[in-house]
Amino acid sequence: MSDMSETISEPDFVISFNENVYLSMQNDISTATYVEQALQIIDQLVAKKNRWIETPPRVNDVDASRVLDAMLRNARQSGGEKSERHTACAICACPEIHDQVNLARTWFVYLLWPFTAGSHQPSDLSSDQATPTIDDTCGSLGSANPEWRSRFRSDVNQRDGYRCVVTGMWDGEHRTASSDQVWVTLIGAHILKRAIGVFTMERAYTAAATWNIIRHYSGMSEETIQDMESLVDDPSNGMMLEPYAHTVFDKLKVYLEQTERENEYVVKEVGGRWIHRKFLDSTITFRNHAAPTRDIPLPNPHFIALHAAICRILHMSGAAEVFTQILDRYDGAAGGNVGILKSNGNPVDRLSSMMSALYISTSLESAA
């Protein structure tokens, strides 16, 4: 069994790992062959007793084989054939069980956790600003200028026709006089959260590790990745949602799955009834309702695809349950003050601190 703290303290593994798969990416062996080899490695790992990533007591350990399998099976939808090839080559570049578990741990800590940390945050449903992230709360990311936040919501609201893209509910301030439909105050939801998209000096090292994974796993161009800080509050990273739809989308329980048609998506969910059956599997099409007066960009399909992949991977791998247990256990150990720790530092350091606190808490309980 492998201790999760091993990767938390060694982000160099993430930064340098691509050098080990570069040659595999460049050779003439087909992607299908690498995927088949990777699946064989995963099948063999399933039978190994030392495939687990250790977590604190009373928290489920992480099955490395499930993490690798979920990452591989969702790679093509996230970033196309190139992403699938890179994921398969990365798995194939790990000949030993320890290497395979270390790769799974790396993806668990530096990819899945930052997205989860960004979804467990103080909620702000006010209509004049975008949803804040954990780091927005303490200003560690240099919070978005209020003017940018207001412009983000205003632009996205106008583009989406002042209606929730999932339920069709009107934004109360802009509902038509003749409309007798239900209305609410809609939220300008970020597809990728500020906690993911913006670097600061205190989290530059771990953020670079996270984005090194995203670079190979998503279909984003290098130009988009380099410009991500400014794109976080761009309309291409947003959509209008009513409060409940915003919550389950933010919590990575509901996602949009792209169809073969441009800007057309199907509403999907993971692990339970998170959204009304009326809206599940419904088709939505993004279009600019402000045209031709204003040219407001539609949601970036690569952002939507990455959000969708993370939702599915968290569920398929069991990582979502593990993270929930860690957060709930820490919340209990901290006397309901989990928000204090989650609002400071970078996501990986927060996870490390929470894990350490849970080990200490268990030791104190045993000694009592």
Side-chain angles (χ1 to χ4, degrees), residues 18 25 67-88 90-91 107 111-112 115 210-220 225 302 305-314 316:
N18 292 291
M25 288 288 292
V67 175
L68 298 182
D69 185 68
M71 289 287 292
L72 180 61
R73 294 186 186 278
N74 286 282
R76 182 172 285 267
Q77 281 185 283
S78 176
E81 189 270 343
K82 185 176 181 180
S83 297
E84 182 180 47
R85 182 178 181 86
H86 186 275
T87 304
I91 295 172
W107 285 338
L111 179 67
L112 301 181
F115 275 87
T210 296
W211 274 95
N212 194 53
I213 299 172
I214 293 175
R215 171 178 285 105
H216 295 286
Y217 199 73
S218 74
M220 296 183 205
I225 292 174
H302 298 303
L306 179 59
H307 174 274
I310 296 298
C311 289
R312 293 190 296 264
I313 295 167
L314 283 167
M316 292 173 61

Side-chain angles (χ1 to χ4, degrees), residues 17-27 85-86 89 93 216:
F17 185 75
N18 292 291
E19 297 176 6
N20 299 326
V21 301
Y22 178 78
L23 292 178
S24 297
M25 288 288 292
Q26 303 304 314
N27 65 33
R85 182 178 181 86
H86 186 275
C89 287
H216 295 286

Side-chain angles (χ1 to χ4, degrees), residues 4 55 59-60 62 105 107-117 120 252 314 317-330 351 354-355:
M4 193 183 301
T55 60
V59 173
N60 292 346
V62 182
R105 189 195 304 108
W107 285 338
F108 181 83
V109 172
Y110 289 100
L111 179 67
L112 301 181
W113 168 248
F115 275 87
T116 301
H120 287 76
L252 304 169
L314 283 167
S317 67
E321 182 180 0
V322 173
F323 288 140
T324 297
Q325 291 174 346
I326 291 173
L327 291 164
D328 288 347
R329 276 219 60 211
Y330 182 83
L351 179 60
M354 283 192 284
M355 299 273 285

Side-chain angles (χ1 to χ4, degrees), residues 15-294:
I15 309 266
S16 64
F17 185 75
N18 292 291
E19 297 176 6
N20 299 326
V21 301
Y22 178 78
L23 292 178
S24 297
M25 288 288 292
Q26 303 304 314
N27 65 33
D28 294 330
I29 298 175
S30 70
T31 296
T33 298
Y34 276 122
V35 169
E36 182 179 356
Q37 292 176 0
L39 289 173
Q40 291 175 355
I41 290 173
I42 294 169
D43 286 343
Q44 294 170 1
L45 183 61
V46 169
K48 305 300 182 181
K49 293 182 179 180
N50 53 342
R51 71 182 186 278
W52 299 92
I53 302 169
E54 184 180 1
T55 60
R58 297 197 295 278
V59 173
N60 292 346
D61 289 327
V62 182
D63 187 337
S65 66
R66 291 182 63 185
V67 175
L68 298 182
D69 185 68
M71 289 287 292
L72 180 61
R73 294 186 186 278
N74 286 282
R76 182 172 285 267
Q77 281 185 283
S78 176
E81 189 270 343
K82 185 176 181 180
S83 297
E84 182 180 47
R85 182 178 181 86
H86 186 275
T87 304
C89 287
I91 295 172
C92 292
C94 297
E96 304 297 332
I97 295 176
H98 172 78
D99 298 325
Q100 296 158 19
V101 174
N102 196 36
L103 177 61
R105 189 195 304 108
T106 298
W107 285 338
F108 181 83
V109 172
Y110 289 100
L111 179 67
L112 301 181
W113 168 248
F115 275 87
T116 301
S119 72
H120 287 76
Q121 60 191 8
S123 179
D124 186 341
L125 304 183
S126 71
S127 61
D128 64 344
Q129 58 182 317
T131 311
T133 66
I134 296 172
D135 293 325
D136 284 329
T137 306
C138 65
S140 64
L141 287 183
S143 301
N145 185 300
E147 182 181 346
W148 294 352
R149 288 183 167 186
S150 178
R151 186 187 310 148
F152 172 83
R153 183 185 185 278
S154 176
D155 288 350
V156 175
N157 207 9
Q158 187 176 2
R159 183 201 66 199
D160 290 345
Y162 306 110
R163 303 184 74 171
C164 170
V165 299
V166 172
T167 67
M169 289 184 179
W170 281 93
D171 183 49
E173 184 181 353
H174 296 92
R175 70 187 186 280
T176 60
S178 60
S179 175
D180 58 357
Q181 296 183 10
V182 176
W183 60 269
V184 294
T185 298
L186 298 182
I187 299 169
H190 285 79
I191 301 167
L192 300 182
K193 306 302 289 293
R194 174 167 290 276
I196 295 293
V198 180
F199 283 47
T200 58
M201 289 305 296
E202 70 175 25
R203 60 187 295 265
Y205 204 32
T206 57
T210 296
W211 274 95
N212 194 53
I213 299 172
I214 293 175
R215 171 178 285 105
H216 295 286
Y217 199 73
S218 74
M220 296 183 205
S221 67
E222 286 296 323
E223 181 181 2
T224 296
I225 292 174
Q226 293 298 323
D227 201 30
M228 196 64 222
E229 183 169 354
S230 64
L231 291 176
V232 167
D233 292 311
D234 186 79
S236 63
N237 188 40
M239 66 182 73
M240 297 309 292
L241 296 172
E242 55 86 13
Y244 179 74
H246 167 261
T247 296
V248 291
F249 183 85
D250 248 19
K251 298 293 185 184
L252 304 169
K253 303 301 183 183
V254 169
Y255 63 94
L256 302 182
E257 184 177 274
Q258 188 163 20
T259 70
E260 295 181 354
R261 296 181 179 179
E262 188 176 8
N263 300 314
E264 183 181 89
Y265 300 85
V266 176
V267 180
K268 296 289 185 179
E269 68 177 7
V270 295
R273 296 199 168 191
W274 295 103
I275 197 165
H276 195 282
R277 302 300 95 180
K278 176 182 178 181
F279 305 115
L280 185 65
D281 293 323
S282 62
T283 300
I284 64 174
T285 302
F286 287 102
R287 67 184 183 89
N288 180 18
H289 289 263
T293 306
R294 298 191 61 201

